[in-house]
């Protein structure tokens, strides 16, 4: 059985002009330990999907149809109180622009430890220890615990947010553009840390990105979104080798020609 099963999900944003469907008939299945990528250009509906999966759409959006079943529970019918049990715990989100999740008046350590304590039901001192370990996995020093968010760079805040999502041992992580404000070295570290987490704990992942290289590195399966529609879905290796839809073909060709255009090491530029 799938850990996460999304069937024919359609989500619309409401405006005075009517309902605008940002995601249409999206379906996917994610087994325990599986890695699924969702790729598409800006406005394709990727974040809409992430927010729907976590019950965070807010008042201006509605789930028009479809279902989201996680661990046997239908999520689209949960009340706000019931959502608190799932969100951030068994099902965790690394939100887009996650460097901005932090409360500016509390230290990162305080917020991380509180989050871990709440979701794992462990003592504060154990939570602080786990917070330090989670930061280390993201290449951050223990001193980050005592820092206020504004004392860290955007990339450090982003890695600390990823540490928060990973620290509570989720069964599934939804990662929305989780490497977008990181420089290349830290992108590598974060992708490696997510891969290590999957291998060590069997964490399933839905990796949302506009960057095919990120998806190709992490994901077994890929869904390609264009203006809210799934135009291609399959094994990532197959899509890379022989994309079918014109949009997918262009995306693969553009990524390959970009990589090929990089000067070879040592060559004069
Ligand atoms: N709160 C909102 N109210 C109205 N329309 C919205 C809202 N949020 C998103 N949309 C619209 O829904 C569509 C999908 O947006 P979404 O944020 O899901 O795209 P995305 O694929 O995540 O893009 P990006 O790569 O830029 O993050 C867009 O046309 C966007 O303008
Ligand atoms: Ni987005």
């Amino acid at each position: 059985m799938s850990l996460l099963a999304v069937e024919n999900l359609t989500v619309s944003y409401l405006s005075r002009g009517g309902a605008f469907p940002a995601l249409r008939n999206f379906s996917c299945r994610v087994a325990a330990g599986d890695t699924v990528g969702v790729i598409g250009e800006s406005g394709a509906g990727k974040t809409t999907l992430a927010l729907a999966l976590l019950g965070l759409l807010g008042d201006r959006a509605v789930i028009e149809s479809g279902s989201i079943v996680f661990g046997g529970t239908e999520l689209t019918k949960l009340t706000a109180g019931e959502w608190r049990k799932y969100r951030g715990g068994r099902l965790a989100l690394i939100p887009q622009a996650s460097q901005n999740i932090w409360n500016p008046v509390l230290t990162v350590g305080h917020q991380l430890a509180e989050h871990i304590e709440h979701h794992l039901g462990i003592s504060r001192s154990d939570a602080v220890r786990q917070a330090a370990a989670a930061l280390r996995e993201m290449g951050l020093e223990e001193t980050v615990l005592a820092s206020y968010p504004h004392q860290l760079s955007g990339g450090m805040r982003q890695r600390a947010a990823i540490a928060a999502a990973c620290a509570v041992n989720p069964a599934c992580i939804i990662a929305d553009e989780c490497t977008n404000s990181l420089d290349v070295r830290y992108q590598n570290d974060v992708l490696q840390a997510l891969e290590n987490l999957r291998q060590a704990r069997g964490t399933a992942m839905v990796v949302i990105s506009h960057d095919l290289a990120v998806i190709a590195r992490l994901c077994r399966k890929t869904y390609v979104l264009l203006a809210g529609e799934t135009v291609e879905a399959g094994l990532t290796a197959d899509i890379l080798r022989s994309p079918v839809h014109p949009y997918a073909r262009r995306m693969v060709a553009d990524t390959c020609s970009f990589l090929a255009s990089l000067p070879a090491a040592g060559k004069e530029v």
Side-chain angles (χ1 to χ4, degrees), residues 13 20 22 41-48 60 96 177:
Y13 288 102
F20 163 74
E41 60 197 11
S42 188
K46 305 182 300 294
T47 295
T48 303
R60 291 191 54 201
Q96 190 160 1
E177 303 285 4

Side-chain angles (χ1 to χ4, degrees), residues 194-263:
L194 291 175
E195 180 58 22
N196 293 347
L197 187 74
R198 189 190 65 78
Q199 278 179 8
R201 302 190 212 155
T203 314
M205 291 183 194
V206 177
V207 179
I208 292 173
S209 179
H210 64 277
D211 186 343
L212 185 60
V214 168
I215 301 272
R217 171 140 173 210
L218 285 182
C219 302
R220 190 182 70 84
K221 278 184 79 179
T222 296
Y223 293 76
V224 183
L225 289 185
L226 180 63
E229 306 260 9
T230 307
V231 294
E232 189 145 345
L235 294 177
T236 308
D238 290 346
I239 293 179
L240 287 172
R241 207 176 305 118
S242 46
V244 178
H245 188 276
Y247 174 71
R249 293 167 76 128
R250 203 185 71 216
M251 191 176 64
V252 172
D254 285 350
T255 306
C256 292
S257 66
F258 174 73
L259 292 174
S261 74
L262 296 177

Side-chain angles (χ1 to χ4, degrees), residues 103-117:
N103 180 336
V105 300
L106 299 170
T107 64
V108 167
H110 179 98
Q111 297 178 67
L112 254 180
E114 198 159 71
H115 170 70
I116 294 170
E117 193 182 349

Side-chain angles (χ1 to χ4, degrees), residues 152-169:
L152 305 176
S153 70
M156 290 167 88
R157 287 199 299 274
Q158 184 167 3
R159 281 183 287 145
I162 296 168
C166 297
V168 297
N169 219 357

Side-chain angles (χ1 to χ4, degrees), residues 99-142:
Q99 64 271 31
N100 301 329
I101 65 167
W102 301 101
N103 180 336
V105 300
L106 299 170
T107 64
V108 167
H110 179 98
Q111 297 178 67
L112 254 180
E114 198 159 71
H115 170 70
I116 294 170
E117 193 182 349
H118 170 74
H119 284 290
L120 297 185
I122 58 179
S123 72
R124 179 53 71 108
S125 55
D126 284 344
V128 171
R129 252 193 303 282
Q130 292 220 12
L135 289 174
R136 254 194 319 276
E137 278 183 48
M138 290 300 148
L140 293 169
E141 306 273 339
E142 206 166 303

